[in-house]
Amino acid sequence: MGIQVEFNPDLALRNISEYRRGSRKLEEYIPEKLEKGQVCDFLKKGQRNYWLEGEIPLLETKGNQNLSRPIASIIILESTHFLLDGTPYTKGRYKVVDVFDRSDGIIHFDGFSRIK
């Protein structure tokens, strides 16, 4: 048995509408109103590593690696691994640098690099 660690180049959270169905914790969702400068908590199942020294995209996931285009640029402020009922999780905080208009068709990231 090895140590299972995932390296994530982005933060993928679910749509807040799923929270209203009561299936997961609030920190697993994108806030209903996302604003520049806002600091938010996040929670992801598994032991995950995020880049802490620059901007990364915030994506919406529907699960099974079904991801949206970036909806915001964020900076991960802190990230901590912990066990919950014997299952590893990653929790942390991120700051919203910019929120994107997804209908404008503008590309905001080239791989890991933010396009300004």
Side-chain angles (χ1 to χ4, degrees):
M1 177 176 177
I3 300 170
Q4 293 184 358
V5 177
E6 189 171 325
F7 290 83
N8 293 125
D10 51 47
L11 179 61
L13 300 174
R14 295 181 181 266
N15 188 290
I16 193 72
S17 64
E18 292 187 39
Y19 172 70
R20 295 186 186 104
R21 290 182 243 162
S23 59
R24 295 173 183 260
K25 297 182 183 335
L26 182 61
E27 295 83 8
E28 295 179 84
Y29 298 95
I30 297 167
E32 192 161 6
K33 186 165 180 155
L34 200 59
E35 297 177 337
K36 187 175 182 175
Q38 182 178 10
V39 175
C40 306
D41 295 324
F42 72 89
L43 177 67
K44 296 291 289 182
K45 189 174 184 179
Q47 191 169 336
R48 297 163 183 267
N49 288 326
Y50 296 97
W51 186 45
L52 301 177
E53 296 181 4
E55 295 178 44
I56 65 170
L58 175 64
L59 311 176
E60 183 179 310
T61 181
K62 294 183 182 187
N64 297 320
Q65 299 177 357
N66 184 358
L67 304 172
S68 72
R69 294 183 77 134
I71 61 171
S73 178
I74 64 167
I75 296 174
I76 301 287
L77 301 174
E78 62 184 74
S79 178
T80 304
H81 303 124
F82 70 102
L83 292 174
L84 180 62
D85 298 325
T87 302
Y89 280 83
T90 303
K91 66 179 177 178
R93 296 167 49 100
Y94 63 93
K95 182 176 182 178
V96 178
V97 175
D98 205 359
V99 179
F100 306 136
D101 177 358
R102 292 193 273 177
S103 66
D104 65 11
I106 296 173
I107 296 173
H108 299 281
F109 281 87
D110 180 13
F112 300 107
S113 300
R114 170 83 192 271
I115 300 171
K116 292 189 179 189

